[in-house]
Structures are given as C-alpha cells and as structure tokens.
Amino acid sequence: MNYFLRKMGFYVVALWAALTLNFAIPRLLPGNPVDILLAKLQQRGGTVTPETREAYALLLGGDDSQPLWNQYVDYLNNLLHGDLGVSVSYYPAQVTDVIAQSLPWTVVLVGIATVMAAVLGVTLGAFVGWKPGTWLDSLIPATTLLAAVPYFWLALILAYFLARVLGWFPLQGGYDVVLDPGWNAEFIASAIHYGALPALTIVLASVGGWLLGMRNMMVSTLSEDYVLTAEAKGLSPRKVLRSYASRNAVLPSVAGFAISLGFVVSGSVITEQVFSYPGIGGRLLGAVTNNDYALMQGLFLVITLAVLGANLVVDMLYGLIDPRTRARS
C-alpha cells in the first residue's frame, strides 16, 4: 500500500509542476495573442481602442495587466471549469472544441499503430531472442534500418509508391470529403481506408525498436538461473518461453510502452503533415505558426496529462506484475 501511495503522491506533484510550467512557458515567449488579434482587426479596417484591447484580453482568458499571481490563480480556476481559452487560429472557437475535434483522429490512428507496432515487435523479438543466430535474426537489420530512416522521408516514399504510383491508398486527408462525418459504416470504412497508409508508416518506423529491445532482453534472460532451472526440470520449450523467459524479458518493454502510449495524444506531427491528416499534430504545428498560445497551452496540457496518466497506470500495474518493484521502493 505504501508503494502505491508514494506513487500517487509523486504524480500529484508532477501534475502540479506540469500545470505551472504550462502556465509559465507561453508567458515567457515573445509576442502576445491579444496583439495578434488586434493586428488582424486593423488589417480588416477595424478601429483599435483601449476598450477593444481589454475586451480581447478578457476573451482570451484574462487581463495580462494583472499581477502574475492573480493570473496564475485565474488560470487554475479556469482549468477546474474546463475553460482553456479562445483559439486565435480558429477564432472564435474555444480551445476545448478544437482539441475535441482533432483528438479522436490522432488517438485512433497513432494509438492503434503504436499498439500494433509494440505487439508485433515484442512478439517477433521474443522468438528471435529465443533462437539467436537463426534466419529470424536477419529481420533485425531490415527493421532497424527502417527505424533509422528519417520519418518524413519514409512517409514520402510510401505515399509516392503506394498512393500515387499503385493507387492502393488515398494520398491525403482523413476521409472522403463528400461524406458527412458520423458513426455509419460508409464513413468508418472511408476513415480506415484513408488512415491505413499513415498507420503503416508509423508501424514500419517503430517496430524495429521494439523488436531489437525485446530480442536483447530475451538473450540476456536465457542465461538467468530460473530459466536454466526450468529447462533442467524438463519443461517444454513452449512453457519455458511463455512462462519464464518472455514473461520477465517483457518487463522493460512494458515501461517503454507506457511512454509511447502517453505520447499517442501528441500524435505524429510529421506523418499528419505529409498526409494532411486532421489530427492533433497538424493543430499543434498551426498553433506554433500562428502564435496561438491558448491552443498551444491546451495541447501541451492534454499531452502532459496523457503521459502522466499512462505512466501512472503502468507504474501501478508494474507493482502488481513484479513484486520486486514494491520491495525495492
């Protein structure tokens, strides 16, 4: 119980620190979202007065003329009420609405691709490490080569050959624009068709790391005393592989999977840009380009919460899977 309480306390402090940094960093950056909106208003022939500036400042989440402590308290209060401000890039849309529209696309695409890459890599790594030196080892250079290739270059190559030359997949977009988004078979089939090529890019680029890591852990685990004892007892190779070797070798991959799963929310910015996919990655790049601090702040907050949440869940599960972790803590 003490182990779990200590973990919960650590993540509470980490959450507070993340929220504080999320508040401070945009205010340390050059520029001001209020000035950006006022500049756009002037370009359209509008008149800017002190009252106009005050109204825009309040609209975007508070008056920056207030003391920093008051702004911090207002920021925390707005978070408790789910108010992340107004997006400059998609004005007058709320940041929560912009994130809500983009988040499901990234979670489905990158989430499924990450799970597929992890499961495929860990499974292949277990078999390759179980019999090192066989023909299966020839898979490792090919997969690690794909992992070393620049992400955007791999995406462009796959887009050119599989989409433009062979025509197997659509080149850009998240679904057929003639369809109305909704939970119907036609739209879901279109979304799967459009998302298959970006997902394939993510799987090919990341499966090599999972395979190599699991393979090396399996080779190391095979020399442990408990594996040698299991073999000496006459247990079947399948039993030794499943219940002794792979069960312990997979533990480091579980921790790595937590980090990868947390970063699913951040999406794959490059992949989404190459394929013009309507996910969080494109929104984040647009927010940086347009100095949309409210949207950047909201996206960073969602990413931080996802990473902390995923690591908290895996830390709790890790303590249940491996009792030695609780004993050392």
Side-chain angles (χ1 to χ4, degrees):
M1 180 61 68
N2 290 335
Y3 168 82
F4 296 109
L5 290 177
R6 283 195 297 269
K7 286 294 181 181
M8 287 296 297
F10 168 79
Y11 279 101
V12 168
V13 175
L15 176 60
W16 170 79
L19 293 178
T20 303
L21 286 174
N22 197 39
F23 166 81
I25 290 176
R27 286 160 176 79
L28 298 176
L29 295 175
N32 189 305
V34 177
D35 295 334
I36 295 172
L37 274 181
L38 292 177
K40 292 182 177 180
L41 179 63
Q42 286 180 318
Q43 291 174 358
R44 296 170 183 171
T47 303
V48 176
T49 63
E51 292 77 12
T52 305
R53 193 184 195 287
E54 182 180 359
Y56 272 89
L58 293 173
L59 179 64
L60 293 178
D63 187 359
D64 56 5
S65 64
Q66 294 181 356
L68 195 62
W69 173 254
N70 291 344
Q71 295 182 45
Y72 181 65
V73 173
D74 291 340
Y75 161 76
L76 294 179
N77 183 55
N78 290 336
L79 285 183
L80 290 176
H81 292 85
D83 182 8
L84 300 179
V86 177
S87 171
V88 174
S89 306
Y90 303 94
Y91 181 82
Q94 292 284 329
V95 169
T96 50
D97 295 333
V98 176
I99 295 176
Q101 293 173 2
S102 306
L103 188 59
W105 292 95
T106 294
V107 169
V108 172
L109 171 65
V110 187
I112 293 177
T114 301
V115 172
M116 289 177 59
V119 172
L120 182 62
V122 168
T123 303
L124 290 177
F127 284 104
V128 171
W130 179 250
K131 298 292 183 181
T134 62
W135 65 270
L136 289 173
D137 263 344
S138 62
L139 292 173
I140 295 178
T143 54
T144 51
L145 176 63
L146 289 174
V149 170
Y151 212 65
F152 71 92
W153 191 80
L154 178 61
L156 290 172
I157 292 297
L158 291 177
Y160 177 76
F161 283 104
L162 299 183
R164 182 174 294 276
V165 176
L166 298 177
W168 291 352
F169 303 100
L171 187 59
Q172 292 182 329
Y175 60 95
D176 192 341
V177 294
V178 302
L179 300 176
D180 293 326
W183 293 104
N184 55 77
E186 190 177 11
F187 175 77
I188 293 175
S190 176
I192 293 174
H193 189 209
Y194 275 77
L197 188 55
L200 178 62
T201 304
I202 296 172
V203 170
L204 291 179
S206 56
V207 70
W210 294 106
L211 193 157
L212 183 61
M214 185 62 181
R215 185 260 185 199
N216 291 340
M217 284 303 303
M218 278 292 295
V219 172
S220 176
T221 302
L222 290 178
S223 61
E224 296 290 342
D225 292 340
Y226 55 83
V227 175
L228 299 177
T229 302
E231 293 175 338
K233 289 181 177 179
L235 298 178
S236 65
R238 179 177 297 180
K239 177 71 173 178
V240 175
L241 170 63
R242 184 181 66 252
S243 301
Y244 291 86
S246 61
R247 182 178 179 180
N248 289 278
V250 79
L251 291 176
S253 297
V254 172
F257 181 71
I259 299 175
S260 300
L261 202 59
F263 279 108
V264 162
V265 178
S266 66
S268 178
V269 177
I270 298 176
T271 301
E272 291 184 3
Q273 284 300 112
V274 170
F275 296 102
S276 297
Y277 197 78
I280 288 294
R283 297 290 185 266
L284 181 58
L285 185 61
V288 174
T289 303
N290 297 319
N291 293 329
D292 191 345
Y293 298 135
L295 183 55
M296 278 191 284
Q297 202 170 16
L299 291 172
F300 291 154
L301 176 63
V302 172
I303 293 169
T304 301
L305 292 177
V307 174
L308 289 176
N311 279 274
L312 174 61
V313 171
V314 172
D315 265 351
M316 296 301 180
L317 292 177
Y318 211 101
L320 297 175
I321 296 172
D322 188 1
R324 295 172 298 178
T325 305
R326 301 198 301 271
R328 290 194 297 265
S329 299

